[in-house]
Amino acid sequence: MAAALLLGACGGKKSSGGDIITTDYETPKLQEPISMNVVQESREVQWAGGRSYHLQIYRLPADSLPKVSDERGQKYVDNQVKISITRPDGSTFFDHTFTKASFAGWLDSDYRVNGLLEDIRLFRADDDELLFTAAVNHPVASDDEAVVLRLTVDRQGGISIGRYDENDRDDLAQEEGLSN
């Protein structure tokens, strides 16, 4: 009697042979394209001779960019990240919007097609440069699977992108350990 109730509750069906129970599995329905939340960070950064610069990092979903799909076919809206740096006198020093395409030369074909620009964060301010981390990730992957790249803005407003070297990766891991 209990087995019959259990079968009825689970929606199971007995095969014609009588000893194999099957269940109906309904594939989850796909949603409209999913967007990440808008994130804005605003802070003062001591840089370039100890002067105080105002830094804003603004991540927002960009419907104008190609959509990214996961393995089920669920679509996601890719992001763009705008970095603005204002001098102590209030004038604009740097204003640039980054998309995943900005980092395409450092991504393999899988991340160029299936990855999202997840985040750009200030890592450290040296006297000559601001060093950021840029993360490109699959939509539902863990942070451990992200491609983390080095984005540098120098004192003249020049941009360089590359991979972190071994010393930087150690510093990143240590920094992450402090923030958790």
Side-chain angles (χ1 to χ4, degrees):
M1 178 74 135
L5 287 174
L6 183 60
L7 283 176
C10 294
K13 299 177 187 172
K14 245 184 174 177
S15 69
S16 60
D19 56 352
I20 298 174
I21 299 173
T22 61
T23 57
D24 293 331
Y25 176 75
E26 188 173 318
T27 305
K29 302 232 185 292
L30 299 178
Q31 304 172 28
E32 291 296 315
I34 298 171
S35 299
M36 294 177 77
N37 294 332
V38 172
V39 175
Q40 183 171 3
E41 175 188 355
S42 182
R43 67 193 247 193
E44 298 299 314
V45 176
Q46 300 302 312
W47 181 51
R51 298 181 350 175
S52 184
Y53 285 75
H54 185 74
L55 170 68
Q56 285 191 305
I57 302 174
Y58 186 58
R59 179 192 77 197
L60 69 154
D63 287 322
S64 61
L65 296 173
K67 305 294 184 268
V68 174
S69 297
D70 66 14
E71 62 278 351
R72 291 184 317 115
Q74 175 62 55
K75 294 201 180 296
Y76 294 82
V77 178
D78 204 349
N79 301 301
Q80 61 185 20
V81 178
K82 180 179 181 178
I83 298 177
S84 296
I85 304 169
T86 307
R87 293 182 185 94
D89 67 5
S91 63
T92 300
F93 165 72
F94 183 84
D95 189 30
H96 191 86
T97 301
F98 295 90
T99 65
K100 179 178 59 183
S102 306
F103 306 98
W106 299 98
L107 302 172
D108 65 22
S109 61
D110 179 41
Y111 279 92
R112 280 193 301 272
V113 174
N114 301 313
L116 296 171
L117 176 56
E118 185 175 334
D119 204 1
I120 297 178
R121 293 185 186 164
L122 179 65
F123 175 54
R124 95 176 143 237
D126 292 336
D127 196 40
D128 291 329
E129 63 188 17
L130 293 174
L131 178 59
F132 297 86
T133 59
V136 177
N137 205 345
H138 290 111
V140 292
S142 71
D143 288 341
D144 293 343
E145 298 176 36
V147 175
V148 180
L149 298 168
R150 174 187 183 111
L151 169 63
T152 304
V153 176
D154 65 29
R155 289 175 80 159
Q156 289 74 40
I159 300 169
S160 65
I161 299 170
R163 296 203 184 275
Y164 279 98
D165 64 25
E166 202 59 45
N167 292 335
D168 288 327
R169 282 196 292 271
D170 291 344
D171 289 347
L172 283 169
Q174 196 172 38
E175 188 77 19
E176 283 295 317
L178 293 175
S179 64
N180 288 338

